[in-house]
């Protein structure tokens, strides 16, 4: 297993629409294992393949306190959503350190395939329903900050760009130090 690089907002690759998974096998199993290790290490409760620059309809979620209930959704599709909504303070591994309220459906039904290609349906509410909707947005090329006001979104974008530049500068200095 390996830790994967998580794309950071406003990276334009986060806006690519994912394609359906058509092949189930060892490559997919390795990808899910690596995504799980990355998500747990981050730490997070969900990760979409789009966030690691793999633009396939794959997401993983584990909302358990014990981090032992990994759910894998391949080619997920929401088949029903409640009229009832809730506002949940969301965060995102692609937008570290930023949390804000986003209105989502309180309950959803999702149809997907598991790691072996078997179809299943799941009804979710609360945090799991929020996570499913959040991660599915990534597969559509959407990041949760796009639900926020333009002012908030622009402030977050500026903050993220500044942080990425700082990380790049730090990496360049470390690399230069190793050469001498």
């Amino acid at each position: 297993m390996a830790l994967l690089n998580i794309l950071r907002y406003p990276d334009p690759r986060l806006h690519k629409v994912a394609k359906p998974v058509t092949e189930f096998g060892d490559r997919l199993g390795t990808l899910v294992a690596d995504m799980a290790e990355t998500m747990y290490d981050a730490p997070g409760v969900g990760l979409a393949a789009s966030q690691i620059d793999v633009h396939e309809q794959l997401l993983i979620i584990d909302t358990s306190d014990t981090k032992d209930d990994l759910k894998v959704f391949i080619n997920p599709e929401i088949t029903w959503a409640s009229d009832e909504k809730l506002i949940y303070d969301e965060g995102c591994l692609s937008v570290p350190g930023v949390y804000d309220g986003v209105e989502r459906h309180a309950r959803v039904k999702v149809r997907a395939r598991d790691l072996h290609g078997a179809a299943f349906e799941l009804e979710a509410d609360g945090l799991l329903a929020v996570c499913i909707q959040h991660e599915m947005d990534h597969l559509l090329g959407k990041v949760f900050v796009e639900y926020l006001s333009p002012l908030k979104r622009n402030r977050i974008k500026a903050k993220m760009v500044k942080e990425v530049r700082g990380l790049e500068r730090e990496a360049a200095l470390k690399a230069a130090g190793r050469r001498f």
Side-chain angles (χ1 to χ4, degrees), residues 14-31:
L14 287 168
H15 298 292
K16 289 177 80 171
V17 176
K19 294 184 174 156
V21 172
T22 57
E23 293 183 28
F24 295 80
D26 292 343
R27 180 195 71 84
L28 195 59
T30 300
L31 178 59

Side-chain angles (χ1 to χ4, degrees), residues 124-143:
D125 61 6
L127 178 58
L128 180 56
V130 168
C131 287
I132 289 169
Q133 293 168 83
H134 176 109
E135 299 306 334
M136 285 185 68
D137 275 352
H138 281 298
L139 302 181
L140 299 172
K142 191 169 186 176
V143 181

Side-chain angles (χ1 to χ4, degrees), residues 156-169:
I156 291 166
K157 185 176 184 177
K159 177 184 176 191
M160 293 294 115
V161 167
K162 185 177 179 181
E163 285 180 15
V164 167
R165 283 187 186 140
L167 292 171
E168 289 170 348
R169 189 175 321 115

